[in-house]
Structures are given as structure tokens and as C-alpha cells.
PDB file of all heavy atoms in Angstrom:
ATOM      1  N   PRO W   1       9.909   8.891  -2.188  1.00  0.00           N
ATOM      2  CA  PRO W   1       9.747   7.695  -3.013  1.00  0.00           C
ATOM      3  C   PRO W   1       8.868   7.951  -4.234  1.00  0.00           C
ATOM      4  O   PRO W   1       7.961   8.789  -4.207  1.00  0.00           O
ATOM      5  CB  PRO W   1       9.083   6.695  -2.066  1.00  0.00           C
ATOM      6  CG  PRO W   1       9.338   7.208  -0.701  1.00  0.00           C
ATOM      7  CD  PRO W   1       9.456   8.687  -0.812  1.00  0.00           C
ATOM      8  N   SER W   2       9.139   7.198  -5.294  1.00  0.00           N
ATOM      9  CA  SER W   2       8.340   7.292  -6.515  1.00  0.00           C
ATOM     10  C   SER W   2       7.033   6.524  -6.351  1.00  0.00           C
ATOM     11  O   SER W   2       6.869   5.718  -5.422  1.00  0.00           O
ATOM     12  CB  SER W   2       9.114   6.699  -7.687  1.00  0.00           C
ATOM     13  OG  SER W   2       9.280   5.290  -7.511  1.00  0.00           O
ATOM     14  N   GLY W   3       6.111   6.748  -7.282  1.00  0.00           N
ATOM     15  CA  GLY W   3       4.863   6.006  -7.277  1.00  0.00           C
ATOM     16  C   GLY W   3       5.085   4.517  -7.439  1.00  0.00           C
ATOM     17  O   GLY W   3       4.380   3.696  -6.830  1.00  0.00           O
ATOM     18  N   VAL W   4       6.076   4.144  -8.234  1.00  0.00           N
ATOM     19  CA  VAL W   4       6.386   2.725  -8.415  1.00  0.00           C
ATOM     20  C   VAL W   4       6.833   2.111  -7.098  1.00  0.00           C
ATOM     21  O   VAL W   4       6.393   1.012  -6.719  1.00  0.00           O
ATOM     22  CB  VAL W   4       7.461   2.539  -9.511  1.00  0.00           C
ATOM     23  CG1 VAL W   4       7.986   1.104  -9.514  1.00  0.00           C
ATOM     24  CG2 VAL W   4       6.894   2.886 -10.882  1.00  0.00           C
ATOM     25  N   MET W   5       7.710   2.809  -6.378  1.00  0.00           N
ATOM     26  CA  MET W   5       8.166   2.279  -5.093  1.00  0.00           C
ATOM     27  C   MET W   5       7.016   2.179  -4.098  1.00  0.00           C
ATOM     28  O   MET W   5       6.931   1.214  -3.316  1.00  0.00           O
ATOM     29  CB  MET W   5       9.284   3.140  -4.515  1.00  0.00           C
ATOM     30  CG  MET W   5       9.879   2.533  -3.245  1.00  0.00           C
ATOM     31  SD  MET W   5      11.284   3.468  -2.593  1.00  0.00           S
ATOM     32  CE  MET W   5      11.923   2.280  -1.403  1.00  0.00           C
ATOM     33  N   ASP W   6       6.133   3.176  -4.099  1.00  0.00           N
ATOM     34  CA  ASP W   6       4.979   3.134  -3.198  1.00  0.00           C
ATOM     35  C   ASP W   6       4.147   1.883  -3.440  1.00  0.00           C
ATOM     36  O   ASP W   6       3.802   1.156  -2.499  1.00  0.00           O
ATOM     37  CB  ASP W   6       4.102   4.370  -3.406  1.00  0.00           C
ATOM     38  CG  ASP W   6       4.743   5.653  -2.917  1.00  0.00           C
ATOM     39  OD1 ASP W   6       5.605   5.595  -2.026  1.00  0.00           O
ATOM     40  OD2 ASP W   6       4.370   6.724  -3.429  1.00  0.00           O
ATOM     41  N   LEU W   7       3.813   1.618  -4.685  1.00  0.00           N
ATOM     42  CA  LEU W   7       2.963   0.473  -5.002  1.00  0.00           C
ATOM     43  C   LEU W   7       3.688  -0.850  -4.785  1.00  0.00           C
ATOM     44  O   LEU W   7       3.099  -1.827  -4.314  1.00  0.00           O
ATOM     45  CB  LEU W   7       2.460   0.580  -6.443  1.00  0.00           C
ATOM     46  CG  LEU W   7       1.525   1.760  -6.719  1.00  0.00           C
ATOM     47  CD1 LEU W   7       1.214   1.857  -8.208  1.00  0.00           C
ATOM     48  CD2 LEU W   7       0.225   1.626  -5.914  1.00  0.00           C
ATOM     49  N   LYS W   8       4.954  -0.887  -5.116  1.00  0.00           N
ATOM     50  CA  LYS W   8       5.729  -2.105  -4.933  1.00  0.00           C
ATOM     51  C   LYS W   8       5.869  -2.438  -3.450  1.00  0.00           C
ATOM     52  O   LYS W   8       5.725  -3.605  -3.037  1.00  0.00           O
ATOM     53  CB  LYS W   8       7.109  -1.925  -5.577  1.00  0.00           C
ATOM     54  CG  LYS W   8       7.924  -3.203  -5.687  1.00  0.00           C
ATOM     55  CD  LYS W   8       9.208  -2.908  -6.463  1.00  0.00           C
ATOM     56  CE  LYS W   8      10.067  -4.139  -6.633  1.00  0.00           C
ATOM     57  NZ  LYS W   8      11.319  -3.830  -7.368  1.00  0.00           N
ATOM     58  N   THR W   9       6.138  -1.425  -2.624  1.00  0.00           N
ATOM     59  CA  THR W   9       6.261  -1.649  -1.184  1.00  0.00           C
ATOM     60  C   THR W   9       4.937  -2.118  -0.607  1.00  0.00           C
ATOM     61  O   THR W   9       4.902  -3.005   0.264  1.00  0.00           O
ATOM     62  CB  THR W   9       6.742  -0.367  -0.485  1.00  0.00           C
ATOM     63  OG1 THR W   9       7.982   0.044  -1.058  1.00  0.00           O
ATOM     64  CG2 THR W   9       6.919  -0.592   1.010  1.00  0.00           C
ATOM     65  N   MET W  10       3.847  -1.525  -1.067  1.00  0.00           N
ATOM     66  CA  MET W  10       2.525  -1.948  -0.610  1.00  0.00           C
ATOM     67  C   MET W  10       2.301  -3.419  -0.934  1.00  0.00           C
ATOM     68  O   MET W  10       1.883  -4.223  -0.076  1.00  0.00           O
ATOM     69  CB  MET W  10       1.454  -1.098  -1.302  1.00  0.00           C
ATOM     70  CG  MET W  10       0.049  -1.274  -0.765  1.00  0.00           C
ATOM     71  SD  MET W  10      -0.187  -0.506   0.855  1.00  0.00           S
ATOM     72  CE  MET W  10       0.188   1.214   0.495  1.00  0.00           C
ATOM     73  N   ALA W  11       2.592  -3.803  -2.172  1.00  0.00           N
ATOM     74  CA  ALA W  11       2.347  -5.170  -2.615  1.00  0.00           C
ATOM     75  C   ALA W  11       3.231  -6.173  -1.882  1.00  0.00           C
ATOM     76  O   ALA W  11       2.761  -7.234  -1.443  1.00  0.00           O
ATOM     77  CB  ALA W  11       2.569  -5.267  -4.124  1.00  0.00           C
ATOM     78  N   ILE W  12       4.510  -5.860  -1.746  1.00  0.00           N
ATOM     79  CA  ILE W  12       5.418  -6.777  -1.054  1.00  0.00           C
ATOM     80  C   ILE W  12       5.017  -6.920   0.413  1.00  0.00           C
ATOM     81  O   ILE W  12       5.093  -8.014   0.993  1.00  0.00           O
ATOM     82  CB  ILE W  12       6.880  -6.302  -1.196  1.00  0.00           C
ATOM     83  CG1 ILE W  12       7.321  -6.432  -2.667  1.00  0.00           C
ATOM     84  CG2 ILE W  12       7.809  -7.095  -0.285  1.00  0.00           C
ATOM     85  CD1 ILE W  12       8.689  -5.845  -2.954  1.00  0.00           C
ATOM     86  N   SER W  13       4.559  -5.840   1.011  1.00  0.00           N
ATOM     87  CA  SER W  13       4.100  -5.907   2.399  1.00  0.00           C
ATOM     88  C   SER W  13       2.935  -6.880   2.533  1.00  0.00           C
ATOM     89  O   SER W  13       2.883  -7.687   3.465  1.00  0.00           O
ATOM     90  CB  SER W  13       3.677  -4.513   2.881  1.00  0.00           C
ATOM     91  OG  SER W  13       4.752  -3.608   2.835  1.00  0.00           O
ATOM     92  N   ARG W  14       1.987  -6.798   1.596  1.00  0.00           N
ATOM     93  CA  ARG W  14       0.842  -7.711   1.638  1.00  0.00           C
ATOM     94  C   ARG W  14       1.293  -9.169   1.473  1.00  0.00           C
ATOM     95  O   ARG W  14       0.769 -10.079   2.136  1.00  0.00           O
ATOM     96  CB  ARG W  14      -0.159  -7.344   0.548  1.00  0.00           C
ATOM     97  CG  ARG W  14      -1.385  -8.245   0.412  1.00  0.00           C
ATOM     98  CD  ARG W  14      -2.330  -8.205   1.604  1.00  0.00           C
ATOM     99  NE  ARG W  14      -1.822  -8.945   2.772  1.00  0.00           N
ATOM    100  CZ  ARG W  14      -2.384  -8.950   3.976  1.00  0.00           C
ATOM    101  NH1 ARG W  14      -3.493  -8.254   4.175  1.00  0.00           N
ATOM    102  NH2 ARG W  14      -1.861  -9.625   4.971  1.00  0.00           N
ATOM    103  N   LEU W  15       2.273  -9.394   0.612  1.00  0.00           N
ATOM    104  CA  LEU W  15       2.740 -10.760   0.351  1.00  0.00           C
ATOM    105  C   LEU W  15       3.545 -11.328   1.518  1.00  0.00           C
ATOM    106  O   LEU W  15       3.426 -12.511   1.849  1.00  0.00           O
ATOM    107  CB  LEU W  15       3.578 -10.779  -0.920  1.00  0.00           C
ATOM    108  CG  LEU W  15       2.790 -10.544  -2.216  1.00  0.00           C
ATOM    109  CD1 LEU W  15       3.728 -10.251  -3.375  1.00  0.00           C
ATOM    110  CD2 LEU W  15       1.905 -11.748  -2.527  1.00  0.00           C
ATOM    111  N   MET W  16       4.352 -10.510   2.155  1.00  0.00           N
ATOM    112  CA  MET W  16       5.191 -10.999   3.252  1.00  0.00           C
ATOM    113  C   MET W  16       4.408 -11.139   4.560  1.00  0.00           C
ATOM    114  O   MET W  16       4.647 -12.060   5.333  1.00  0.00           O
ATOM    115  CB  MET W  16       6.382 -10.068   3.465  1.00  0.00           C
ATOM    116  CG  MET W  16       7.370 -10.016   2.312  1.00  0.00           C
ATOM    117  SD  MET W  16       8.162 -11.610   1.946  1.00  0.00           S
ATOM    118  CE  MET W  16       9.092 -11.898   3.455  1.00  0.00           C
ATOM    119  N   LEU W  17       3.478 -10.232   4.803  1.00  0.00           N
ATOM    120  CA  LEU W  17       2.742 -10.229   6.073  1.00  0.00           C
ATOM    121  C   LEU W  17       1.479 -11.071   5.951  1.00  0.00           C
ATOM    122  O   LEU W  17       0.349 -10.567   6.044  1.00  0.00           O
ATOM    123  CB  LEU W  17       2.416  -8.795   6.489  1.00  0.00           C
ATOM    124  CG  LEU W  17       3.625  -7.901   6.793  1.00  0.00           C
ATOM    125  CD1 LEU W  17       3.185  -6.483   7.092  1.00  0.00           C
ATOM    126  CD2 LEU W  17       4.443  -8.466   7.955  1.00  0.00           C
ATOM    127  N   ASP W  18       1.668 -12.363   5.765  1.00  0.00           N
ATOM    128  CA  ASP W  18       0.533 -13.251   5.520  1.00  0.00           C
ATOM    129  C   ASP W  18      -0.388 -13.389   6.723  1.00  0.00           C
ATOM    130  O   ASP W  18      -1.539 -13.818   6.588  1.00  0.00           O
ATOM    131  CB  ASP W  18       1.035 -14.636   5.100  1.00  0.00           C
ATOM    132  CG  ASP W  18       2.061 -15.216   6.070  1.00  0.00           C
ATOM    133  OD1 ASP W  18       1.763 -15.300   7.270  1.00  0.00           O
ATOM    134  OD2 ASP W  18       3.168 -15.574   5.622  1.00  0.00           O
ATOM    135  N   ASN W  19       0.085 -13.007   7.915  1.00  0.00           N
ATOM    136  CA  ASN W  19      -0.738 -13.140   9.119  1.00  0.00           C
ATOM    137  C   ASN W  19      -1.332 -11.814   9.590  1.00  0.00           C
ATOM    138  O   ASN W  19      -1.906 -11.748  10.685  1.00  0.00           O
ATOM    139  CB  ASN W  19       0.069 -13.802  10.244  1.00  0.00           C
ATOM    140  CG  ASN W  19       1.393 -13.095  10.513  1.00  0.00           C
ATOM    141  OD1 ASN W  19       1.671 -12.040   9.940  1.00  0.00           O
ATOM    142  ND2 ASN W  19       2.220 -13.675  11.382  1.00  0.00           N
ATOM    143  N   PHE W  20      -1.196 -10.754   8.813  1.00  0.00           N
ATOM    144  CA  PHE W  20      -1.834  -9.475   9.122  1.00  0.00           C
ATOM    145  C   PHE W  20      -3.182  -9.400   8.404  1.00  0.00           C
ATOM    146  O   PHE W  20      -3.237  -9.599   7.193  1.00  0.00           O
ATOM    147  CB  PHE W  20      -0.959  -8.304   8.662  1.00  0.00           C
ATOM    148  CG  PHE W  20       0.038  -7.835   9.693  1.00  0.00           C
ATOM    149  CD1 PHE W  20       1.031  -8.683  10.157  1.00  0.00           C
ATOM    150  CD2 PHE W  20      -0.018  -6.551  10.195  1.00  0.00           C
ATOM    151  CE1 PHE W  20       1.955  -8.264  11.101  1.00  0.00           C
ATOM    152  CE2 PHE W  20       0.895  -6.106  11.135  1.00  0.00           C
ATOM    153  CZ  PHE W  20       1.893  -6.962  11.595  1.00  0.00           C
ATOM    154  N   PRO W  21      -4.260  -9.102   9.123  1.00  0.00           N
ATOM    155  CA  PRO W  21      -5.569  -9.037   8.465  1.00  0.00           C
ATOM    156  C   PRO W  21      -5.676  -7.933   7.415  1.00  0.00           C
ATOM    157  O   PRO W  21      -6.333  -8.119   6.393  1.00  0.00           O
ATOM    158  CB  PRO W  21      -6.542  -8.773   9.620  1.00  0.00           C
ATOM    159  CG  PRO W  21      -5.819  -9.171  10.855  1.00  0.00           C
ATOM    160  CD  PRO W  21      -4.361  -8.921  10.583  1.00  0.00           C
ATOM    161  N   HIS W  22      -5.036  -6.781   7.671  1.00  0.00           N
ATOM    162  CA  HIS W  22      -5.267  -5.620   6.815  1.00  0.00           C
ATOM    163  C   HIS W  22      -3.955  -4.894   6.477  1.00  0.00           C
ATOM    164  O   HIS W  22      -3.024  -4.865   7.276  1.00  0.00           O
ATOM    165  CB  HIS W  22      -6.219  -4.629   7.506  1.00  0.00           C
ATOM    166  CG  HIS W  22      -7.521  -5.237   7.905  1.00  0.00           C
ATOM    167  ND1 HIS W  22      -8.519  -5.503   7.002  1.00  0.00           N
ATOM    168  CD2 HIS W  22      -7.972  -5.670   9.121  1.00  0.00           C
ATOM    169  CE1 HIS W  22      -9.540  -6.056   7.633  1.00  0.00           C
ATOM    170  NE2 HIS W  22      -9.235  -6.169   8.908  1.00  0.00           N
ATOM    171  N   ILE W  23      -3.952  -4.296   5.290  1.00  0.00           N
ATOM    172  CA  ILE W  23      -2.862  -3.419   4.842  1.00  0.00           C
ATOM    173  C   ILE W  23      -3.491  -2.083   4.458  1.00  0.00           C
ATOM    174  O   ILE W  23      -4.448  -2.039   3.664  1.00  0.00           O
ATOM    175  CB  ILE W  23      -2.106  -4.003   3.629  1.00  0.00           C
ATOM    176  CG1 ILE W  23      -1.553  -5.393   3.945  1.00  0.00           C
ATOM    177  CG2 ILE W  23      -0.986  -3.053   3.201  1.00  0.00           C
ATOM    178  CD1 ILE W  23      -0.425  -5.440   4.934  1.00  0.00           C
ATOM    179  N   LYS W  24      -2.954  -1.004   5.004  1.00  0.00           N
ATOM    180  CA  LYS W  24      -3.562   0.315   4.793  1.00  0.00           C
ATOM    181  C   LYS W  24      -2.749   1.167   3.823  1.00  0.00           C
ATOM    182  O   LYS W  24      -1.529   1.265   3.936  1.00  0.00           O
ATOM    183  CB  LYS W  24      -3.678   1.048   6.128  1.00  0.00           C
ATOM    184  CG  LYS W  24      -4.353   2.412   6.047  1.00  0.00           C
ATOM    185  CD  LYS W  24      -4.341   3.122   7.384  1.00  0.00           C
ATOM    186  CE  LYS W  24      -5.208   2.434   8.399  1.00  0.00           C
ATOM    187  NZ  LYS W  24      -5.289   3.212   9.669  1.00  0.00           N
ATOM    188  N   ALA W  25      -3.455   1.793   2.894  1.00  0.00           N
ATOM    189  CA  ALA W  25      -2.872   2.804   2.009  1.00  0.00           C
ATOM    190  C   ALA W  25      -3.195   4.170   2.610  1.00  0.00           C
ATOM    191  O   ALA W  25      -4.302   4.692   2.412  1.00  0.00           O
ATOM    192  CB  ALA W  25      -3.444   2.675   0.600  1.00  0.00           C
ATOM    193  N   TYR W  26      -2.251   4.727   3.355  1.00  0.00           N
ATOM    194  CA  TYR W  26      -2.480   5.974   4.081  1.00  0.00           C
ATOM    195  C   TYR W  26      -2.423   7.136   3.099  1.00  0.00           C
ATOM    196  O   TYR W  26      -1.349   7.613   2.728  1.00  0.00           O
ATOM    197  CB  TYR W  26      -1.429   6.102   5.177  1.00  0.00           C
ATOM    198  CG  TYR W  26      -1.609   7.273   6.116  1.00  0.00           C
ATOM    199  CD1 TYR W  26      -2.870   7.689   6.516  1.00  0.00           C
ATOM    200  CD2 TYR W  26      -0.505   7.949   6.625  1.00  0.00           C
ATOM    201  CE1 TYR W  26      -3.035   8.739   7.389  1.00  0.00           C
ATOM    202  CE2 TYR W  26      -0.650   9.007   7.501  1.00  0.00           C
ATOM    203  CZ  TYR W  26      -1.920   9.402   7.877  1.00  0.00           C
ATOM    204  OH  TYR W  26      -2.085  10.463   8.745  1.00  0.00           O
ATOM    205  N   TRP W  27      -3.589   7.630   2.716  1.00  0.00           N
ATOM    206  CA  TRP W  27      -3.660   8.611   1.630  1.00  0.00           C
ATOM    207  C   TRP W  27      -2.936   9.914   1.953  1.00  0.00           C
ATOM    208  O   TRP W  27      -2.480  10.608   1.035  1.00  0.00           O
ATOM    209  CB  TRP W  27      -5.116   8.885   1.248  1.00  0.00           C
ATOM    210  CG  TRP W  27      -5.977   9.525   2.301  1.00  0.00           C
ATOM    211  CD1 TRP W  27      -6.850   8.897   3.140  1.00  0.00           C
ATOM    212  CD2 TRP W  27      -6.063  10.921   2.608  1.00  0.00           C
ATOM    213  NE1 TRP W  27      -7.468   9.799   3.966  1.00  0.00           N
ATOM    214  CE2 TRP W  27      -7.013  11.059   3.660  1.00  0.00           C
ATOM    215  CE3 TRP W  27      -5.451  12.067   2.120  1.00  0.00           C
ATOM    216  CZ2 TRP W  27      -7.352  12.290   4.219  1.00  0.00           C
ATOM    217  CZ3 TRP W  27      -5.782  13.312   2.676  1.00  0.00           C
ATOM    218  CH2 TRP W  27      -6.724  13.409   3.703  1.00  0.00           C
ATOM    219  N   VAL W  28      -2.803  10.253   3.230  1.00  0.00           N
ATOM    220  CA  VAL W  28      -2.128  11.498   3.603  1.00  0.00           C
ATOM    221  C   VAL W  28      -0.696  11.513   3.076  1.00  0.00           C
ATOM    222  O   VAL W  28      -0.199  12.541   2.600  1.00  0.00           O
ATOM    223  CB  VAL W  28      -2.148  11.685   5.130  1.00  0.00           C
ATOM    224  CG1 VAL W  28      -1.240  12.831   5.552  1.00  0.00           C
ATOM    225  CG2 VAL W  28      -3.571  11.926   5.610  1.00  0.00           C
ATOM    226  N   MET W  29      -0.021  10.377   3.127  1.00  0.00           N
ATOM    227  CA  MET W  29       1.372  10.303   2.689  1.00  0.00           C
ATOM    228  C   MET W  29       1.512   9.875   1.240  1.00  0.00           C
ATOM    229  O   MET W  29       2.441  10.307   0.552  1.00  0.00           O
ATOM    230  CB  MET W  29       2.152   9.344   3.588  1.00  0.00           C
ATOM    231  CG  MET W  29       2.192   9.792   5.028  1.00  0.00           C
ATOM    232  SD  MET W  29       3.339   8.836   6.026  1.00  0.00           S
ATOM    233  CE  MET W  29       4.907   9.528   5.540  1.00  0.00           C
ATOM    234  N   LEU W  30       0.616   9.021   0.766  1.00  0.00           N
ATOM    235  CA  LEU W  30       0.724   8.514  -0.602  1.00  0.00           C
ATOM    236  C   LEU W  30       0.134   9.471  -1.630  1.00  0.00           C
ATOM    237  O   LEU W  30       0.547   9.465  -2.791  1.00  0.00           O
ATOM    238  CB  LEU W  30      -0.007   7.168  -0.724  1.00  0.00           C
ATOM    239  CG  LEU W  30       0.577   5.987   0.036  1.00  0.00           C
ATOM    240  CD1 LEU W  30      -0.369   4.800  -0.066  1.00  0.00           C
ATOM    241  CD2 LEU W  30       1.958   5.626  -0.515  1.00  0.00           C
ATOM    242  N   GLY W  31      -0.814  10.268  -1.210  1.00  0.00           N
ATOM    243  CA  GLY W  31      -1.613  11.036  -2.155  1.00  0.00           C
ATOM    244  C   GLY W  31      -2.859  10.232  -2.499  1.00  0.00           C
ATOM    245  O   GLY W  31      -2.854   8.997  -2.492  1.00  0.00           O
ATOM    246  N   LEU W  32      -3.937  10.925  -2.809  1.00  0.00           N
ATOM    247  CA  LEU W  32      -5.213  10.259  -3.048  1.00  0.00           C
ATOM    248  C   LEU W  32      -5.159   9.309  -4.239  1.00  0.00           C
ATOM    249  O   LEU W  32      -5.708   8.205  -4.201  1.00  0.00           O
ATOM    250  CB  LEU W  32      -6.309  11.302  -3.247  1.00  0.00           C
ATOM    251  CG  LEU W  32      -6.668  12.121  -1.999  1.00  0.00           C
ATOM    252  CD1 LEU W  32      -7.567  13.286  -2.368  1.00  0.00           C
ATOM    253  CD2 LEU W  32      -7.334  11.240  -0.952  1.00  0.00           C
ATOM    254  N   LYS W  33      -4.486   9.722  -5.307  1.00  0.00           N
ATOM    255  CA  LYS W  33      -4.476   8.900  -6.518  1.00  0.00           C
ATOM    256  C   LYS W  33      -3.706   7.605  -6.313  1.00  0.00           C
ATOM    257  O   LYS W  33      -4.157   6.529  -6.723  1.00  0.00           O
ATOM    258  CB  LYS W  33      -3.895   9.701  -7.688  1.00  0.00           C
ATOM    259  CG  LYS W  33      -4.762  10.880  -8.106  1.00  0.00           C
ATOM    260  CD  LYS W  33      -4.127  11.683  -9.233  1.00  0.00           C
ATOM    261  CE  LYS W  33      -5.004  12.870  -9.612  1.00  0.00           C
ATOM    262  NZ  LYS W  33      -4.371  13.699 -10.690  1.00  0.00           N
ATOM    263  N   THR W  34      -2.521   7.703  -5.687  1.00  0.00           N
ATOM    264  CA  THR W  34      -1.737   6.489  -5.451  1.00  0.00           C
ATOM    265  C   THR W  34      -2.441   5.573  -4.462  1.00  0.00           C
ATOM    266  O   THR W  34      -2.438   4.343  -4.620  1.00  0.00           O
ATOM    267  CB  THR W  34      -0.330   6.849  -4.938  1.00  0.00           C
ATOM    268  OG1 THR W  34       0.324   7.681  -5.900  1.00  0.00           O
ATOM    269  CG2 THR W  34       0.508   5.596  -4.717  1.00  0.00           C
ATOM    270  N   ALA W  35      -3.070   6.155  -3.441  1.00  0.00           N
ATOM    271  CA  ALA W  35      -3.809   5.341  -2.471  1.00  0.00           C
ATOM    272  C   ALA W  35      -4.944   4.592  -3.146  1.00  0.00           C
ATOM    273  O   ALA W  35      -5.228   3.429  -2.835  1.00  0.00           O
ATOM    274  CB  ALA W  35      -4.341   6.220  -1.347  1.00  0.00           C
ATOM    275  N   GLN W  36      -5.570   5.254  -4.090  1.00  0.00           N
ATOM    276  CA  GLN W  36      -6.665   4.628  -4.831  1.00  0.00           C
ATOM    277  C   GLN W  36      -6.161   3.427  -5.638  1.00  0.00           C
ATOM    278  O   GLN W  36      -6.737   2.343  -5.595  1.00  0.00           O
ATOM    279  CB  GLN W  36      -7.296   5.677  -5.751  1.00  0.00           C
ATOM    280  CG  GLN W  36      -8.577   5.247  -6.435  1.00  0.00           C
ATOM    281  CD  GLN W  36      -9.126   6.363  -7.306  1.00  0.00           C
ATOM    282  OE1 GLN W  36      -8.370   7.150  -7.887  1.00  0.00           O
ATOM    283  NE2 GLN W  36     -10.439   6.438  -7.407  1.00  0.00           N
ATOM    284  N   VAL W  37      -5.047   3.593  -6.331  1.00  0.00           N
ATOM    285  CA  VAL W  37      -4.471   2.494  -7.114  1.00  0.00           C
ATOM    286  C   VAL W  37      -3.991   1.374  -6.190  1.00  0.00           C
ATOM    287  O   VAL W  37      -4.076   0.186  -6.535  1.00  0.00           O
ATOM    288  CB  VAL W  37      -3.314   3.010  -7.990  1.00  0.00           C
ATOM    289  CG1 VAL W  37      -2.644   1.857  -8.740  1.00  0.00           C
ATOM    290  CG2 VAL W  37      -3.814   4.049  -8.983  1.00  0.00           C
ATOM    291  N   ALA W  38      -3.510   1.738  -5.001  1.00  0.00           N
ATOM    292  CA  ALA W  38      -2.994   0.741  -4.063  1.00  0.00           C
ATOM    293  C   ALA W  38      -4.052  -0.272  -3.654  1.00  0.00           C
ATOM    294  O   ALA W  38      -3.712  -1.370  -3.199  1.00  0.00           O
ATOM    295  CB  ALA W  38      -2.432   1.435  -2.825  1.00  0.00           C
ATOM    296  N   LEU W  39      -5.323   0.059  -3.833  1.00  0.00           N
ATOM    297  CA  LEU W  39      -6.389  -0.890  -3.522  1.00  0.00           C
ATOM    298  C   LEU W  39      -6.380  -2.093  -4.448  1.00  0.00           C
ATOM    299  O   LEU W  39      -7.076  -3.077  -4.197  1.00  0.00           O
ATOM    300  CB  LEU W  39      -7.750  -0.188  -3.570  1.00  0.00           C
ATOM    301  CG  LEU W  39      -7.986   0.874  -2.492  1.00  0.00           C
ATOM    302  CD1 LEU W  39      -9.314   1.574  -2.715  1.00  0.00           C
ATOM    303  CD2 LEU W  39      -7.940   0.253  -1.094  1.00  0.00           C
ATOM    304  N   SER W  40      -5.581  -2.037  -5.504  1.00  0.00           N
ATOM    305  CA  SER W  40      -5.365  -3.194  -6.377  1.00  0.00           C
ATOM    306  C   SER W  40      -3.954  -3.749  -6.236  1.00  0.00           C
ATOM    307  O   SER W  40      -3.553  -4.630  -7.007  1.00  0.00           O
ATOM    308  CB  SER W  40      -5.623  -2.815  -7.844  1.00  0.00           C
ATOM    309  OG  SER W  40      -6.987  -2.515  -8.040  1.00  0.00           O
ATOM    310  N   PHE W  41      -3.191  -3.245  -5.278  1.00  0.00           N
ATOM    311  CA  PHE W  41      -1.822  -3.696  -5.029  1.00  0.00           C
ATOM    312  C   PHE W  41      -1.642  -4.190  -3.594  1.00  0.00           C
ATOM    313  O   PHE W  41      -0.575  -4.059  -3.025  1.00  0.00           O
ATOM    314  CB  PHE W  41      -0.831  -2.571  -5.338  1.00  0.00           C
ATOM    315  CG  PHE W  41      -0.536  -2.414  -6.811  1.00  0.00           C
ATOM    316  CD1 PHE W  41      -1.453  -1.806  -7.658  1.00  0.00           C
ATOM    317  CD2 PHE W  41       0.646  -2.898  -7.362  1.00  0.00           C
ATOM    318  CE1 PHE W  41      -1.192  -1.669  -9.013  1.00  0.00           C
ATOM    319  CE2 PHE W  41       0.914  -2.757  -8.715  1.00  0.00           C
ATOM    320  CZ  PHE W  41      -0.004  -2.149  -9.550  1.00  0.00           C
ATOM    321  N   GLY W  42      -2.697  -4.741  -3.036  1.00  0.00           N
ATOM    322  CA  GLY W  42      -2.595  -5.358  -1.721  1.00  0.00           C
ATOM    323  C   GLY W  42      -3.324  -4.643  -0.610  1.00  0.00           C
ATOM    324  O   GLY W  42      -3.625  -5.245   0.421  1.00  0.00           O
TER     325      GLY W  42
END
């Protein structure tokens, strides 16, 4: 997946899963930089 898809999937997951306390950006699979940006995408 592209970086755009990674961030978009993260954000949509946060929006759809309204009853989940936490959403994790697993840096091992995303890469450190994308995981860092994901902290502003849900």
C-alpha cells in the first residue's frame, strides 16, 4: 500500500470504530515516518 492508503485507512478506521478506545499506528509495518504522521490521522 501507498502512504496515502495507509493514512486514509487509519483515518477511516478511527471514524468508523467510534466505540474503540484506541487506534494503533504499528510502526513495524507502516515505517517510522508514516506512523509518526498517523498520529494526526486518528
Side-chain angles (χ1 to χ4, degrees):
S2 67
V4 169
M5 186 176 193
D6 290 335
L7 295 174
K8 191 175 181 181
T9 303
M10 189 73 60
I12 292 173
S13 299
R14 177 66 285 173
L15 290 166
M16 295 298 296
L17 296 176
D18 52 54
N19 53 6
F20 271 62
H22 304 284
I23 303 291
K24 183 184 293 185
Y26 186 37
W27 64 262
V28 170
M29 298 190 77
L30 293 173
L32 292 169
K33 294 178 181 178
T34 301
Q36 189 179 33
V37 176
L39 293 175
S40 293
F41 280 76

